[in-house]
């Protein structure tokens, strides 16, 4: 069982602050760190920490951050044979501000992620064909995402699309070709242009996608829980209550855990329940990949 993640790699520059500065204001942060990030990389690391065999298809720059990212993938036992190092380009960078509530804001410079063309990804076609599921997000060019969805369909490989960060012009026809579509509630609101301020509104917005032909829609709603809609299926999985410290990358940890468990068991509901708790555990700790539990740590939390 092998998972392919086709997606982004970033270096995260993170400040923890009581209150976000106004325009023209300078404020002191209470804490700061740099860390390995990028939605694709985070999802790959979460799945690998839980024991999955992961192939990472990504692009980094030929700078010190790119070297660090490669080492980090290797440390997490991820297959790096399809990590492309792009000469003369910076590795992707995310400036992240985390407020006292755990809420985060992210400013993204795509850098090398923008150079992950369909041609570059499809050089890995044979390796991708050996995978049991392909995971995509939207921090790489949209045309690459679409090419991989078509490739996955042509080769009967299940595909999961996490439409993050949300783009308004995402093709619904392409989304319909995905086996799993996993937005958070904000992304769902942007994609559907519908209100998402309550669970009922979120359900109506997700149903509008179902009516357009999307297959499995899994909406992560932070502390509200997770909603799964499919033809004839409506399941709500409440979130476990914890004290949130840092929600950065929680959605990525959900996806990493979901594909790891789904790949092993084929059980969507149980995979959602586990992924919800894995993401909950991640928000109780500072950091992104650093907050992702290993399989043993997670089993202890899940059984409690
Ligand atoms: O989802 C969190 C991630 O979004 C961060 O690691 C950052 O790199 C941005 O891509």
């Amino acid at each position: 069982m092998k998972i392919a993640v086709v997606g982004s790699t970033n270096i995260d520059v993170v400040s923890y602050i009581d209150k976000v500065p106004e325009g023209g204001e300078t404020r002191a942060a209470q804490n700061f760190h740099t860390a390995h990030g990028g939605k694709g990389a985070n999802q790959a690391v979460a799945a690998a920490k839980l024991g999955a065999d992961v192939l990472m298809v990504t692009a980094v720059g030929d700078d010190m951050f790119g070297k660090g990212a490669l080492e980090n993938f290797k440390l997490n036992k991820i297959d790096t044979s399809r990590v492309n190092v792009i000469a003369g380009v910076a590795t992707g960078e995310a400036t992240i501000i985390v407020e006292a509530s755990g809420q985060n804001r992210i400013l993204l410079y795509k850098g090398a992620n923008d150079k992950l063309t369909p041609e570059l990804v499809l050089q890995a076609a044979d390796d991708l064909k050996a995978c049991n599921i392909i995971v995509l997000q939207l921090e790489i060019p949209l045309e690459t995402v679409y090419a991989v969805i078509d490739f996955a369909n042509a080769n009967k490989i299940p595909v999961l699309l996490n439409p993050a960060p949300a783009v308004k012009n995402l093709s619904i026809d392409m989304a319909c070709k995905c086996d799993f579509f996993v937005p958070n509630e904000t992304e769902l609101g942007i994609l559907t242009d519908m209100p998402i301020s309550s669970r009922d509104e979120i359900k109506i917005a997700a149903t509008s996608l179902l009516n357009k032909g999307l297959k499995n829609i899994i909406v992560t709603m932070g502390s509200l829980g997770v909603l799964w809609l499919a033809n004839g299926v409506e399941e709500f999985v409440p979130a476990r209550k914890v004290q949130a410290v840092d929600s950065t990358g929680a959605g990525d940890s959900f996806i990493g855990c979901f594909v790891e468990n789904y790949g092993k068991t084929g059980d969507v509901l149980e995979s959602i329940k586990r992924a919800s708790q894995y993401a909950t555990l991640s928000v109780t700790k500072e950091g992104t990949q650093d907050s992702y539990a290993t399989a043993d740590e997670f089993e202890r939390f899940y059984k409690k």
Side-chain angles (χ1 to χ4, degrees), residues 241-283:
K241 297 278 167 279
V242 290
Q243 183 66 46
V245 173
D246 183 353
S247 64
T248 317
D252 299 331
S253 71
F254 177 94
I255 287 165
C257 182
F258 175 83
V259 288
E260 185 270 338
N261 196 71
Y262 176 74
K264 260 187 344 209
T265 65
D267 184 336
V268 180
L269 185 58
E270 178 61 14
S271 302
I272 291 173
K273 287 181 181 164
R274 290 179 69 85
S276 167
Q277 294 225 23
Y278 191 71
T280 297
L281 180 56
S282 85
V283 306

Side-chain angles (χ1 to χ4, degrees), residues 47-81:
K49 279 195 169 184
L50 287 167
D53 191 3
V54 182
L55 169 72
M56 184 72 204
V57 184
T58 190
V60 297
D62 61 346
D63 52 13
M64 64 185 211
F65 299 129
K67 279 197 192 86
L70 255 170
E71 278 162 26
N72 179 55
F73 286 136
K74 286 183 183 150
L75 211 66
N76 283 288
K77 302 191 175 55
I78 290 170
D79 182 344
T80 57
S81 56

Side-chain angles (χ1 to χ4, degrees), residues 127-265:
D127 297 333
L128 289 170
K129 281 182 198 163
C131 291
N132 305 76
I133 187 161
I134 299 180
V135 181
L136 291 157
Q137 327 71 32
L138 301 180
E139 285 183 333
I140 58 173
L142 211 45
E143 56 165 347
T144 305
V145 172
Y146 294 164
V148 175
I149 293 171
D150 280 335
F151 171 85
N153 280 196
N155 290 283
K156 301 196 169 28
I157 305 165
V159 59
L160 180 152
L161 175 60
N162 166 222
V167 291
K168 260 192 168 302
N169 60 338
L170 183 74
S171 154
I172 291 294
D173 287 349
M174 294 309 291
C176 287
K177 295 182 183 179
C178 298
D179 298 83
F180 296 100
F181 188 76
V182 191
N184 65 20
E185 77 278 31
T186 311
E187 289 146 5
L188 177 71
I190 294 170
L191 288 163
T192 57
D193 209 10
M194 290 172 77
I196 42 91
S197 51
S198 68
R199 222 176 89 184
D200 285 346
E201 286 185 350
I202 292 169
K203 192 177 128 188
I204 293 168
T207 305
S208 77
L209 292 181
L210 201 61
N211 292 340
K212 287 183 176 155
L214 271 78
K215 294 174 193 142
N216 289 286
I217 304 161
I218 300 173
V219 188
T220 57
M221 304 178 287
S223 58
L224 276 184
V226 182
L227 176 69
W228 170 32
L229 294 184
N231 201 357
V233 177
E234 181 187 324
E235 294 283 352
F236 168 68
V237 175
R240 190 161 154 177
K241 297 278 167 279
V242 290
Q243 183 66 46
V245 173
D246 183 353
S247 64
T248 317
D252 299 331
S253 71
F254 177 94
I255 287 165
C257 182
F258 175 83
V259 288
E260 185 270 338
N261 196 71
Y262 176 74
K264 260 187 344 209
T265 65

Side-chain angles (χ1 to χ4, degrees), residues 10 12 37-39 42 94 96 106 108 139 248-249 252 288:
N10 295 332
D12 289 354
K39 296 185 193 301
N42 295 343
I96 303 179
I106 303 181
L108 180 68
E139 285 183 333
T248 317
D252 299 331
T288 305

